Coordinates of all heavy atoms in Angstrom, one line a residue:
M127 N 121.0 -5.7 27.0 CA 119.9 -6.3 27.7 C 120.5 -7.2 28.8 O 121.3 -8.0 28.5 CB 119.0 -7.0 26.8 CG 117.8 -7.6 27.4 SD 116.7 -8.3 26.1 CE 115.7 -9.2 27.2
P128 N 120.1 -7.1 30.0 CA 120.6 -7.9 31.1 C 120.1 -9.3 30.9 O 119.1 -9.6 30.4 CB 120.1 -7.3 32.3 CG 118.9 -6.5 31.9 CD 119.1 -6.1 30.5
N129 N 120.9 -10.3 31.5 CA 120.6 -11.7 31.4 C 119.4 -11.9 32.4 O 119.4 -11.3 33.5 CB 121.8 -12.5 31.8 CG 122.9 -12.5 30.8 OD1 122.6 -12.2 29.6 ND2 124.1 -12.7 31.2
L130 N 118.5 -12.8 32.0 CA 117.4 -13.2 32.9 C 117.8 -14.4 33.8 O 118.2 -15.4 33.3 CB 116.2 -13.6 32.1 CG 115.6 -12.4 31.2 CD1 114.4 -13.0 30.4 CD2 115.1 -11.3 32.1
G131 N 117.8 -14.2 35.1 CA 118.1 -15.2 36.0 C 116.8 -16.0 36.4 O 115.7 -15.7 35.9
P132 N 117.0 -16.9 37.3 CA 115.8 -17.7 37.7 C 114.8 -16.9 38.4 O 113.6 -17.2 38.3 CB 116.4 -18.8 38.6 CG 117.9 -18.5 38.8 CD 118.2 -17.4 37.9
T133 N 115.2 -15.9 39.2 CA 114.2 -15.1 39.9 C 113.4 -14.3 39.0 O 112.1 -14.2 39.1 CB 114.8 -14.2 41.0 OG1 115.9 -13.5 40.4 CG2 115.4 -15.0 42.1
E134 N 114.0 -13.7 37.9 CA 113.3 -13.0 36.9 C 112.3 -13.8 36.2 O 111.2 -13.4 35.9 CB 114.2 -12.3 36.0 CG 115.0 -11.1 36.6 CD 116.3 -11.5 37.2 OE1 116.7 -12.8 37.2 OE2 117.0 -10.7 37.8
L135 N 112.7 -15.0 35.8 CA 111.8 -16.0 35.1 C 110.6 -16.4 36.0 O 109.5 -16.5 35.5 CB 112.6 -17.2 34.6 CG 113.7 -17.0 33.6 CD1 114.4 -18.2 33.3 CD2 113.0 -16.5 32.3
I136 N 110.8 -16.6 37.2 CA 109.7 -16.9 38.1 C 108.8 -15.7 38.2 O 107.5 -15.9 38.2 CB 110.3 -17.3 39.5 CG1 111.0 -18.6 39.5 CG2 109.2 -17.4 40.6 CD1 111.8 -19.0 40.7
I137 N 109.3 -14.5 38.3 CA 108.4 -13.3 38.4 C 107.6 -13.2 37.1 O 106.4 -13.0 37.1 CB 109.2 -12.1 38.6 CG1 109.8 -12.1 40.1 CG2 108.4 -10.8 38.4 CD1 110.8 -11.0 40.4
I138 N 108.2 -13.4 35.9 CA 107.5 -13.4 34.6 C 106.4 -14.4 34.6 O 105.3 -14.2 34.1 CB 108.5 -13.5 33.5 CG1 109.4 -12.2 33.4 CG2 107.8 -13.7 32.2 CD1 110.5 -12.3 32.4
G139 N 106.8 -15.6 35.1 CA 105.8 -16.7 35.1 C 104.6 -16.4 36.0 O 103.4 -16.7 35.6
L140 N 104.8 -15.8 37.1 CA 103.7 -15.4 38.0 C 102.9 -14.4 37.4 O 101.6 -14.4 37.5 CB 104.3 -14.9 39.4 CG 104.9 -16.0 40.3 CD1 105.5 -15.4 41.5 CD2 103.8 -17.0 40.7
I141 N 103.5 -13.4 36.7 CA 102.7 -12.4 36.0 C 101.8 -13.0 35.0 O 100.6 -12.6 34.8 CB 103.6 -11.3 35.5 CG1 104.3 -10.5 36.6 CG2 102.9 -10.3 34.5 CD1 105.4 -9.5 36.2
L142 N 102.4 -13.9 34.2 CA 101.6 -14.6 33.2 C 100.4 -15.4 33.8 O 99.3 -15.3 33.2 CB 102.5 -15.5 32.3 CG 103.4 -14.9 31.4 CD1 104.3 -15.9 30.8 CD2 102.7 -14.1 30.3
V143 N 100.6 -16.0 34.9 CA 99.5 -16.8 35.5 C 98.5 -15.8 36.0 O 97.3 -16.1 35.9 CB 100.1 -17.6 36.7 CG1 99.0 -18.2 37.6 CG2 100.9 -18.8 36.1
L144 N 98.9 -14.7 36.6 CA 97.9 -13.7 37.0 C 97.1 -13.1 35.9 O 95.9 -12.8 36.0 CB 98.6 -12.6 37.9 CG 99.1 -13.0 39.2 CD1 99.9 -11.9 39.9 CD2 97.9 -13.4 40.1
L145 N 97.8 -12.8 34.8 CA 97.1 -12.2 33.6 C 96.2 -13.1 32.9 O 95.0 -12.7 32.6 CB 98.2 -11.6 32.6 CG 98.9 -10.4 33.1 CD1 100.0 -10.0 32.0 CD2 97.9 -9.2 33.2
F146 N 96.6 -14.3 32.6 CA 95.8 -15.2 31.8 C 95.1 -16.3 32.6 O 94.2 -16.9 32.0 CB 96.8 -15.9 30.7 CG 97.4 -14.9 29.8 CD1 98.7 -14.6 29.9 CD2 96.6 -14.2 28.8 CE1 99.3 -13.7 29.0 CE2 97.2 -13.3 28.0 CZ 98.5 -13.0 28.1
G147 N 95.5 -16.5 33.8 CA 94.8 -17.6 34.5 C 95.4 -18.9 34.3 O 96.0 -19.2 33.3
A148 N 95.3 -19.7 35.3 CA 96.0 -21.0 35.3 C 95.4 -22.0 34.3 O 96.0 -22.9 33.7 CB 96.0 -21.7 36.7
K149 N 94.1 -21.8 34.0 CA 93.4 -22.7 33.0 C 93.7 -22.4 31.6 O 93.8 -23.2 30.7 CB 91.9 -22.6 33.2 CG 91.4 -23.1 34.5 CD 89.9 -23.0 34.6 CE 89.4 -23.6 35.9 NZ 87.9 -23.5 36.0
K150 N 94.0 -21.1 31.3 CA 94.3 -20.7 29.9 C 95.7 -21.0 29.4 O 95.9 -21.2 28.2 CB 94.0 -19.2 29.7 CG 92.5 -18.8 29.9 CD 91.7 -19.3 28.7 CE 90.3 -18.9 28.9 NZ 89.4 -19.3 27.8
L151 N 96.6 -21.0 30.3 CA 98.0 -21.2 29.9 C 98.3 -22.6 29.3 O 99.0 -22.6 28.2 CB 99.0 -21.0 31.1 CG 99.1 -19.5 31.5 CD1 100.0 -19.4 32.8 CD2 99.7 -18.7 30.4
P152 N 97.8 -23.7 29.8 CA 98.1 -25.0 29.1 C 97.4 -25.0 27.7 O 98.0 -25.5 26.8 CB 97.5 -26.0 30.1 CG 97.4 -25.4 31.4 CD 97.2 -23.9 31.1
E153 N 96.2 -24.4 27.6 CA 95.6 -24.4 26.3 C 96.4 -23.6 25.3 O 96.5 -23.9 24.2 CB 94.2 -23.8 26.4 CG 93.2 -24.7 27.2 CD 91.9 -24.0 27.4 OE1 91.6 -23.0 26.7 OE2 91.1 -24.5 28.3
A154 N 96.9 -22.4 25.8 CA 97.7 -21.6 24.9 C 99.0 -22.3 24.5 O 99.4 -22.2 23.3 CB 98.0 -20.3 25.6
A155 N 99.6 -23.0 25.4 CA 100.9 -23.7 25.1 C 100.6 -24.8 24.1 O 101.4 -25.1 23.2 CB 101.5 -24.3 26.4
R156 N 99.5 -25.5 24.3 CA 99.1 -26.6 23.4 C 98.8 -26.0 22.0 O 99.3 -26.6 21.0 CB 97.8 -27.3 23.9 CG 97.7 -28.7 23.6 CD 96.5 -29.4 24.3 NE 96.8 -29.5 25.7 CZ 96.0 -29.0 26.7 NH1 94.9 -28.3 26.3 NH2 96.2 -29.1 27.9
G157 N 98.1 -24.9 21.9 CA 97.9 -24.3 20.6 C 99.2 -23.8 20.0 O 99.3 -24.0 18.7
L158 N 100.1 -23.3 20.7 CA 101.4 -22.8 20.2 C 102.1 -24.0 19.7 O 102.8 -24.0 18.6 CB 102.1 -22.1 21.3 CG 103.5 -21.5 20.8 CD1 103.3 -20.5 19.8 CD2 104.2 -21.0 22.0
G159 N 102.1 -25.1 20.4 CA 102.8 -26.4 20.0 C 102.3 -26.9 18.7 O 103.0 -27.3 17.8
R160 N 100.9 -26.9 18.6 CA 100.3 -27.4 17.3 C 100.7 -26.5 16.1 O 101.0 -27.0 15.1 CB 98.8 -27.4 17.5 CG 98.2 -28.5 18.3 CD 96.7 -28.5 18.3 NE 96.2 -29.4 19.3 CZ 95.3 -29.1 20.2 NH1 94.7 -27.9 20.1 NH2 94.9 -30.0 21.1
S161 N 100.7 -25.2 16.4 CA 101.0 -24.2 15.3 C 102.4 -24.5 14.9 O 102.7 -24.5 13.7 CB 100.8 -22.8 15.8 OG 99.5 -22.6 16.2
L162 N 103.3 -24.6 15.8 CA 104.7 -24.9 15.4 C 104.9 -26.2 14.7 O 105.7 -26.3 13.8 CB 105.6 -24.8 16.7 CG 105.8 -23.4 17.3 CD1 106.6 -23.6 18.6 CD2 106.5 -22.5 16.4
R163 N 104.2 -27.2 15.1 CA 104.3 -28.5 14.4 C 103.8 -28.4 13.0 O 104.4 -28.9 12.1 CB 103.4 -29.5 15.2 CG 104.1 -30.9 15.3 CD 103.3 -31.8 16.2 NE 103.2 -31.4 17.6 CZ 102.1 -31.2 18.3 NH1 101.0 -31.5 17.7 NH2 102.1 -30.8 19.5
I164 N 102.7 -27.7 12.8 CA 102.1 -27.5 11.4 C 103.1 -26.7 10.6 O 103.4 -27.0 9.4 CB 100.7 -26.8 11.5 CG1 99.7 -27.8 12.1 CG2 100.3 -26.4 10.1 CD1 98.4 -27.1 12.4
F165 N 103.7 -25.6 11.2 CA 104.6 -24.8 10.4 C 105.8 -25.6 10.0 O 106.3 -25.5 8.9 CB 105.0 -23.6 11.3 CG 106.0 -22.7 10.7 CD1 105.6 -21.8 9.7 CD2 107.3 -22.7 11.1 CE1 106.5 -21.0 9.1 CE2 108.3 -21.9 10.5 CZ 107.9 -21.0 9.5
K166 N 106.3 -26.5 10.9 CA 107.5 -27.3 10.6 C 107.2 -28.3 9.5 O 108.0 -28.5 8.6 CB 107.9 -28.0 11.9 CG 109.2 -28.8 11.7 CD 109.5 -29.5 13.1 CE 110.7 -30.4 12.9 NZ 111.1 -31.1 14.1
S167 N 106.0 -28.9 9.5 CA 105.7 -29.9 8.5 C 105.5 -29.2 7.2 O 105.9 -29.8 6.1 CB 104.5 -30.7 8.9 OG 103.3 -29.9 8.9
E168 N 104.9 -28.0 7.1 CA 104.7 -27.3 5.9 C 106.0 -26.9 5.3 O 106.2 -27.0 4.1 CB 103.8 -26.1 6.1 CG 102.3 -26.5 6.4 CD 101.7 -27.2 5.3 OE1 101.9 -27.0 4.1 OE2 100.9 -28.2 5.6
T169 N 107.0 -26.4 6.1 CA 108.3 -26.0 5.6 C 109.0 -27.2 5.1 O 109.7 -27.1 4.0 CB 109.1 -25.2 6.6 OG1 109.2 -26.0 7.8 CG2 108.5 -23.9 7.0
A170 N 108.9 -28.3 5.7 CA 109.5 -29.6 5.2 C 109.0 -30.0 3.9 O 109.7 -30.4 3.0 CB 109.4 -30.7 6.3
K171 N 107.6 -29.9 3.7 CA 107.0 -30.2 2.5 C 107.5 -29.3 1.4 O 107.7 -29.7 0.2 CB 105.5 -30.1 2.6 CG 104.8 -31.2 3.3 CD 103.3 -31.1 3.4 CE 102.7 -32.1 4.3 NZ 101.2 -31.9 4.4
L172 N 107.6 -28.0 1.7 CA 108.1 -27.0 0.7 C 109.5 -27.4 0.2 O 109.9 -27.3 -1.0 CB 108.1 -25.6 1.2 CG 106.7 -25.0 1.3 CD1 106.8 -23.6 2.0 CD2 106.1 -24.8 -0.1
R173 N 110.4 -27.7 1.2 CA 111.7 -28.1 0.8 C 111.7 -29.4 0.0 O 112.5 -29.5 -1.0 CB 112.5 -28.4 2.1 CG 113.1 -27.1 2.7 CD 114.1 -27.4 3.8 NE 113.9 -26.4 4.8 CZ 113.6 -26.7 6.1 NH1 113.4 -27.9 6.5 NH2 113.4 -25.7 6.9
D174 N 110.9 -30.4 0.3 CA 110.8 -31.6 -0.5 C 110.3 -31.3 -1.9 O 110.8 -31.9 -2.8 CB 109.9 -32.6 0.2 CG 110.5 -33.2 1.5 OD1 111.7 -33.0 1.7 OD2 109.7 -33.8 2.3
D175 N 109.3 -30.4 -2.0 CA 108.8 -30.1 -3.3 C 109.9 -29.4 -4.2 O 110.0 -29.7 -5.3 CB 107.6 -29.1 -3.2 CG 106.4 -29.8 -2.7 OD1 106.3 -31.1 -2.7 OD2 105.4 -29.2 -2.3
D176 N 110.6 -28.5 -3.5 CA 111.7 -27.8 -4.3 C 112.8 -28.8 -4.7 O 113.3 -28.7 -5.9 CB 112.4 -26.7 -3.4 CG 111.5 -25.5 -3.2 OD1 110.5 -25.4 -4.0 OD2 111.7 -24.7 -2.3
E177 N 113.1 -29.8 -3.9 CA 114.1 -30.8 -4.2 C 113.6 -31.7 -5.4 O 114.4 -32.0 -6.3 CB 114.5 -31.6 -3.0 CG 115.3 -30.8 -2.0 CD 115.5 -31.6 -0.7 OE1 115.1 -32.8 -0.6 OE2 116.1 -31.1 0.2
T178 N 112.4 -32.1 -5.3 CA 111.8 -33.0 -6.4 C 111.7 -32.2 -7.7 O 111.9 -32.8 -8.7 CB 110.5 -33.6 -6.0 OG1 109.6 -32.5 -5.6 CG2 110.6 -34.5 -4.8
E179 N 111.3 -30.9 -7.6 CA 111.2 -30.1 -8.8 C 112.5 -29.9 -9.5 O 112.6 -30.1 -10.7 CB 110.6 -28.7 -8.5 CG 109.1 -28.8 -8.3 CD 108.6 -27.4 -7.9 OE1 109.3 -26.4 -8.0 OE2 107.4 -27.3 -7.5
T180 N 113.6 -29.7 -8.7 CA 114.9 -29.5 -9.4 C 115.4 -30.9 -9.9 O 116.0 -30.9 -11.0 CB 115.9 -29.0 -8.4 OG1 116.0 -29.8 -7.2 CG2 115.6 -27.5 -8.0
A181 N 115.1 -32.0 -9.2 CA 115.5 -33.3 -9.7 C 114.8 -33.6 -11.0 O 115.4 -34.1 -11.9 CB 115.3 -34.3 -8.6
T182 N 113.5 -33.4 -11.0 CA 112.8 -33.8 -12.2 C 113.1 -32.8 -13.4 O 113.1 -33.2 -14.5 CB 111.2 -33.7 -12.0 OG1 110.9 -32.4 -11.5 CG2 110.8 -34.8 -11.1
A183 N 113.4 -31.6 -13.1 CA 113.8 -30.6 -14.1 C 115.1 -31.1 -14.8 O 115.2 -31.0 -16.0 CB 113.9 -29.2 -13.5
T184 N 116.0 -31.6 -14.0 CA 117.3 -32.0 -14.6 C 117.1 -33.3 -15.4 O 117.7 -33.5 -16.5 CB 118.4 -32.3 -13.6 OG1 117.9 -33.2 -12.6 CG2 118.8 -31.0 -12.9
V185 N 116.2 -34.2 -15.0 CA 115.9 -35.4 -15.7 C 115.2 -35.1 -17.0 O 115.5 -35.6 -18.0 CB 115.1 -36.4 -14.8 CG1 114.5 -37.5 -15.6 CG2 115.9 -36.9 -13.7
V186 N 114.2 -34.2 -16.9 CA 113.4 -33.8 -18.1 C 114.3 -33.1 -19.1 O 114.2 -33.4 -20.3 CB 112.2 -32.9 -17.7 CG1 111.6 -32.3 -18.9 CG2 111.2 -33.7 -16.9
Q187 N 115.2 -32.3 -18.7 CA 116.1 -31.6 -19.7 C 117.0 -32.6 -20.4 O 117.4 -32.5 -21.5 CB 117.0 -30.6 -19.0 CG 116.1 -29.4 -18.5 CD 117.0 -28.4 -17.7 OE1 118.1 -28.7 -17.4 NE2 116.3 -27.3 -17.3
A188 N 117.4 -33.7 -19.7 CA 118.3 -34.7 -20.3 C 117.6 -35.6 -21.3 O 118.3 -36.1 -22.2 CB 118.9 -35.6 -19.1
Q189 N 116.3 -35.8 -21.2 CA 115.6 -36.6 -22.1 C 115.0 -35.8 -23.3 O 114.5 -34.8 -23.1 CB 114.4 -37.3 -21.4 CG 114.9 -38.3 -20.3 CD 113.7 -38.9 -19.5 OE1 112.6 -38.4 -19.7 NE2 114.0 -39.8 -18.7
P190 N 115.1 -36.4 -24.5 CA 114.5 -35.7 -25.6 C 113.0 -35.7 -25.6 O 112.4 -36.7 -25.0 CB 115.1 -36.4 -26.9 CG 115.4 -37.8 -26.4 CD 115.8 -37.6 -24.9
Q191 N 112.3 -34.7 -26.1 CA 110.9 -34.7 -26.1 C 110.3 -35.7 -27.2 O 110.8 -35.7 -28.3 CB 110.4 -33.3 -26.5 CG 110.7 -32.3 -25.4 CD 109.9 -32.5 -24.1 OE1 108.8 -33.0 -24.2 NE2 110.5 -32.1 -23.0
P192 N 109.4 -36.6 -26.8 CA 108.8 -37.5 -27.8 C 107.9 -36.7 -28.8 O 107.4 -35.6 -28.5 CB 108.0 -38.5 -27.0 CG 107.7 -37.7 -25.7 CD 108.9 -36.8 -25.5
A193 N 107.8 -37.2 -30.0 CA 106.9 -36.6 -31.0 C 105.4 -36.7 -30.5 O 105.0 -37.7 -29.9 CB 107.1 -37.3 -32.3
A194 N 104.6 -35.7 -30.8 CA 103.2 -35.7 -30.4 C 102.5 -36.7 -31.3 O 102.7 -36.8 -32.5 CB 102.6 -34.4 -30.6
P195 N 101.6 -37.5 -30.7 CA 100.8 -38.5 -31.5 C 99.9 -37.8 -32.5 O 99.3 -36.7 -32.1 CB 100.1 -39.3 -30.5 CG 100.0 -38.5 -29.3 CD 101.2 -37.6 -29.3
V196 N 99.6 -38.3 -33.6 CA 98.7 -37.8 -34.6 C 97.3 -38.1 -34.2 O 97.0 -39.3 -34.0 CB 99.0 -38.3 -36.0 CG1 98.0 -37.7 -37.0 CG2 100.5 -38.0 -36.4
P197 N 96.4 -37.1 -33.9 CA 95.1 -37.4 -33.5 C 94.3 -38.0 -34.7 O 94.5 -37.7 -35.8 CB 94.5 -36.1 -33.1 CG 95.3 -35.1 -33.8 CD 96.7 -35.7 -34.0
P198 N 93.3 -38.8 -34.4 CA 92.4 -39.4 -35.4 C 91.6 -38.3 -36.0 O 91.2 -37.3 -35.3 CB 91.6 -40.4 -34.7 CG 91.6 -40.0 -33.3 CD 92.9 -39.3 -33.1
P199 N 91.2 -38.4 -37.3 CA 90.4 -37.3 -37.9 C 89.0 -37.3 -37.3 O 88.5 -38.3 -36.9 CB 90.4 -37.7 -39.4 CG 90.7 -39.2 -39.4 CD 91.5 -39.5 -38.2
I200 N 88.4 -36.1 -37.3 CA 87.0 -36.0 -36.9 C 86.1 -36.5 -37.9 O 86.2 -36.0 -39.1 CB 86.7 -34.5 -36.5 CG1 87.6 -34.0 -35.4 CG2 85.2 -34.3 -36.2 CD1 87.4 -32.5 -35.1
T201 N 85.3 -37.4 -37.6 CA 84.4 -38.0 -38.5 C 83.1 -37.2 -38.5 O 82.6 -36.8 -37.5 CB 84.1 -39.5 -38.2 OG1 83.6 -39.6 -36.9 CG2 85.3 -40.3 -38.3
S202 N 82.5 -37.0 -39.7 CA 81.3 -36.2 -39.7 C 80.0 -37.1 -39.5 O 79.1 -36.6 -39.0 CB 81.2 -35.6 -41.1 OG 81.2 -36.6 -42.1
A203 N 80.1 -38.4 -39.8 CA 78.9 -39.2 -39.6 C 79.3 -40.5 -38.9 O 80.1 -41.2 -39.4 CB 78.2 -39.5 -41.0
P204 N 78.7 -40.7 -37.7 CA 79.0 -42.0 -37.0 C 78.3 -43.2 -37.7 O 77.5 -43.0 -38.6 CB 78.5 -41.8 -35.6 CG 77.6 -40.6 -35.7 CD 78.0 -39.8 -36.9
A205 N 78.7 -44.4 -37.4 CA 78.2 -45.6 -38.1 C 76.7 -45.7 -37.8 O 76.0 -46.2 -38.7 CB 78.9 -46.8 -37.6
S206 N 76.2 -45.4 -36.6 CA 74.8 -45.6 -36.3 C 74.1 -44.3 -36.6 O 74.6 -43.2 -36.4 CB 74.6 -46.0 -34.9 OG 75.1 -45.0 -34.0
P207 N 72.8 -44.3 -37.0 CA 72.1 -43.1 -37.2 C 71.7 -42.4 -35.9 O 71.2 -43.0 -35.0 CB 70.8 -43.5 -37.9 CG 70.6 -45.0 -37.5 CD 72.0 -45.5 -37.3
L208 N 72.2 -41.1 -35.8 CA 71.9 -40.3 -34.6 C 71.2 -39.1 -35.0 O 71.3 -38.6 -36.1 CB 73.3 -39.9 -33.9 CG 74.2 -41.1 -33.4 CD1 75.5 -40.5 -32.9 CD2 73.5 -41.8 -32.3
S209 N 70.5 -38.5 -34.0 CA 69.8 -37.2 -34.3 C 70.9 -36.1 -34.4 O 72.1 -36.3 -34.1 CB 68.9 -36.9 -33.2 OG 69.6 -36.6 -32.0
A210 N 70.5 -35.0 -34.9 CA 71.4 -33.9 -35.1 C 72.0 -33.4 -33.8 O 73.2 -33.1 -33.7 CB 70.7 -32.7 -35.8
E211 N 71.2 -33.5 -32.8 CA 71.6 -33.1 -31.4 C 72.7 -34.0 -30.9 O 73.8 -33.6 -30.4 CB 70.4 -33.0 -30.5 CG 70.6 -32.1 -29.3 CD 69.3 -32.1 -28.5 OE1 68.3 -31.6 -29.0 OE2 69.3 -32.6 -27.4
E212 N 72.5 -35.3 -31.1 CA 73.5 -36.3 -30.6 C 74.8 -36.2 -31.5 O 75.9 -36.4 -30.9 CB 72.9 -37.7 -30.7 CG 71.8 -38.0 -29.7 CD 71.0 -39.3 -30.0 OE1 71.0 -39.7 -31.2 OE2 70.5 -39.8 -29.0
Q213 N 74.7 -36.0 -32.8 CA 75.8 -35.8 -33.6 C 76.7 -34.6 -33.2 O 77.9 -34.7 -33.1 CB 75.4 -35.6 -35.1 CG 74.9 -36.9 -35.7 CD 74.5 -36.7 -37.1 OE1 74.5 -35.6 -37.6 NE2 74.1 -37.8 -37.8
A214 N 76.0 -33.5 -32.9 CA 76.7 -32.3 -32.4 C 77.4 -32.5 -31.1 O 78.5 -32.1 -30.9 CB 75.7 -31.1 -32.3
R215 N 76.7 -33.2 -30.2 CA 77.3 -33.5 -28.9 C 78.6 -34.4 -29.1 O 79.6 -34.2 -28.4 CB 76.3 -34.2 -28.0 CG 76.8 -34.4 -26.5 CD 75.8 -35.0 -25.6 NE 74.6 -34.2 -25.6 CZ 73.3 -34.8 -25.8 NH1 73.2 -36.1 -26.1 NH2 72.2 -34.0 -25.8
A216 N 78.5 -35.4 -29.9 CA 79.6 -36.3 -30.2 C 80.8 -35.6 -30.8 O 81.9 -35.8 -30.4 CB 79.1 -37.5 -31.1
L217 N 80.5 -34.7 -31.7 CA 81.5 -33.9 -32.3 C 82.2 -33.0 -31.3 O 83.4 -32.8 -31.3 CB 81.0 -33.1 -33.5 CG 80.7 -33.9 -34.8 CD1 80.1 -33.0 -35.8 CD2 82.0 -34.5 -35.3
E218 N 81.4 -32.4 -30.4 CA 82.0 -31.5 -29.4 C 82.9 -32.3 -28.4 O 84.0 -31.8 -28.1 CB 80.9 -30.8 -28.6 CG 80.2 -29.7 -29.4 CD 79.0 -29.1 -28.6 OE1 78.8 -29.6 -27.4 OE2 78.4 -28.2 -29.1
E219 N 82.4 -33.5 -28.1 CA 83.2 -34.3 -27.2 C 84.5 -34.7 -27.8 O 85.6 -34.7 -27.2 CB 82.4 -35.6 -26.8 CG 81.3 -35.3 -25.8 CD 80.5 -36.5 -25.5 OE1 80.8 -37.6 -26.0 OE2 79.5 -36.4 -24.8
Q220 N 84.5 -35.1 -29.1 CA 85.7 -35.5 -29.8 C 86.6 -34.3 -30.0 O 87.8 -34.5 -29.8 CB 85.3 -36.1 -31.2 CG 86.4 -36.8 -31.9 CD 85.9 -37.5 -33.2 OE1 84.8 -37.2 -33.6 NE2 86.8 -38.4 -33.7
A221 N 86.1 -33.1 -30.3 CA 86.9 -32.0 -30.4 C 87.6 -31.6 -29.0 O 88.7 -31.2 -29.0 CB 86.1 -30.8 -30.9
A222 N 86.8 -31.8 -27.9 CA 87.4 -31.5 -26.6 C 88.5 -32.5 -26.3 O 89.5 -32.1 -25.7 CB 86.3 -31.6 -25.6
R223 N 88.4 -33.8 -26.7 CA 89.4 -34.8 -26.5 C 90.7 -34.4 -27.3 O 91.8 -34.5 -26.8 CB 89.0 -36.2 -26.9 CG 88.2 -36.9 -25.7 CD 88.0 -38.3 -26.0 NE 86.5 -38.4 -26.3 CZ 86.0 -38.8 -27.5 NH1 86.7 -39.2 -28.5 NH2 84.7 -38.8 -27.7
L224 N 90.5 -33.9 -28.5 CA 91.6 -33.6 -29.3 C 92.3 -32.3 -28.8 O 93.5 -32.3 -28.8 CB 91.2 -33.3 -30.8 CG 90.7 -34.5 -31.6 CD1 90.2 -34.1 -32.9 CD2 91.9 -35.5 -31.7
R225 N 91.5 -31.4 -28.3 CA 92.1 -30.2 -27.6 C 92.9 -30.6 -26.4 O 94.0 -30.1 -26.2 CB 91.1 -29.2 -27.3 CG 90.6 -28.3 -28.4 CD 89.8 -27.1 -27.9 NE 88.6 -27.5 -27.2 CZ 87.4 -27.6 -27.7 NH1 87.3 -27.5 -29.0 NH2 86.4 -28.0 -27.0
A226 N 92.4 -31.5 -25.6 CA 93.1 -32.0 -24.4 C 94.4 -32.7 -24.8 O 95.4 -32.5 -24.1 CB 92.2 -32.9 -23.6
Q227 N 94.4 -33.5 -25.8 CA 95.6 -34.2 -26.3 C 96.6 -33.2 -26.8 O 97.8 -33.3 -26.6 CB 95.3 -35.2 -27.4 CG 94.5 -36.4 -26.9 CD 94.2 -37.4 -28.0 OE1 94.3 -37.0 -29.2 NE2 93.7 -38.5 -27.6
A228 N 96.2 -32.2 -27.5 CA 97.1 -31.2 -28.0 C 97.6 -30.2 -27.0 O 98.5 -29.4 -27.2 CB 96.4 -30.4 -29.2
G229 N 96.9 -30.1 -25.9 CA 97.3 -29.2 -24.8 C 96.7 -27.8 -25.0 O 97.1 -26.8 -24.4
A230 N 95.7 -27.7 -25.9 CA 95.1 -26.3 -26.1 C 94.1 -26.0 -25.0 O 93.5 -26.9 -24.4 CB 94.4 -26.4 -27.5
P231 N 93.9 -24.7 -24.7 CA 93.0 -24.4 -23.7 C 91.6 -24.6 -24.2 O 91.3 -24.5 -25.4 CB 93.2 -22.9 -23.5 CG 93.9 -22.4 -24.7 CD 94.6 -23.6 -25.3
K232 N 90.7 -25.0 -23.2 CA 89.3 -25.3 -23.5 C 88.5 -24.0 -23.7 O 88.6 -23.1 -22.9 CB 88.7 -26.1 -22.4 CG 87.3 -26.6 -22.7 CD 86.8 -27.4 -21.5 CE 85.4 -27.9 -21.8 NZ 84.8 -28.6 -20.7
T233 N 87.8 -23.9 -24.8 CA 86.9 -22.7 -25.1 C 85.5 -23.2 -25.1 O 85.2 -24.3 -25.5 CB 87.3 -22.1 -26.4 OG1 87.1 -23.1 -27.5 CG2 88.7 -21.6 -26.4
Q234 N 84.6 -22.2 -24.7 CA 83.2 -22.5 -24.7 C 82.5 -21.4 -25.3 O 82.7 -20.3 -25.3 CB 82.7 -22.7 -23.3 CG 83.1 -24.0 -22.7 CD 82.3 -24.3 -21.4 OE1 81.8 -23.4 -20.7 NE2 82.4 -25.5 -20.9

């Protein structure tokens, strides 16, 4: 492919102005600049995420896993008199908390 000199670049620029118009070119350049800026910031974030994941993975592997806390037992009757509906709701909430602590998936 031959090298592009200044005259060829001027001709290409004139063709672009004729095709797209003088008003559209600055808008297109601005949009291209924004797109490149967004792309650059996203790739930088991906690199940072990869670096932090590898750093935390090595730290996590070096530390021993703590023992899981023992959950309190599910009580069948609360201290205050509640209706059957309120008791069922309280038991469901307590079971949901225990599942969340144990890391079990929530079922409905």
Side-chain angles (χ1 to χ4, degrees):
M127 184 173 166
N129 292 335
L130 295 177
T133 52
E134 288 88 4
L135 292 175
I136 291 172
I137 292 171
I138 292 171
L140 288 173
I141 291 172
L142 288 174
V143 169
L144 289 174
L145 286 175
F146 297 108
K149 292 182 181 180
K150 295 288 181 179
L151 286 178
E153 292 174 18
R156 209 172 292 122
L158 181 65
R160 285 185 193 133
S161 300
L162 290 175
R163 222 174 296 125
I164 291 169
F165 180 74
K166 183 179 177 183
S167 67
E168 291 297 323
T169 54
K171 286 180 187 176
L172 286 174
R173 278 192 216 116
D174 291 343
D175 289 345
D176 288 345
E177 290 172 3
T178 56
E179 284 177 7
T180 56
T182 55
T184 57
V185 170
V186 170
Q187 290 174 356
Q189 296 175 350
Q191 293 291 332
V196 177
I200 297 177
T201 57
S202 59
S206 63
L208 298 173
S209 69
E211 204 175 293
E212 291 171 333
Q213 288 178 356
R215 187 177 306 126
L217 286 174
E218 287 175 3
E219 289 174 1
Q220 194 172 13
R223 273 188 256 120
L224 290 174
R225 278 193 300 270
Q227 287 177 351
K232 185 178 178 183
T233 58
Q234 284 188 344

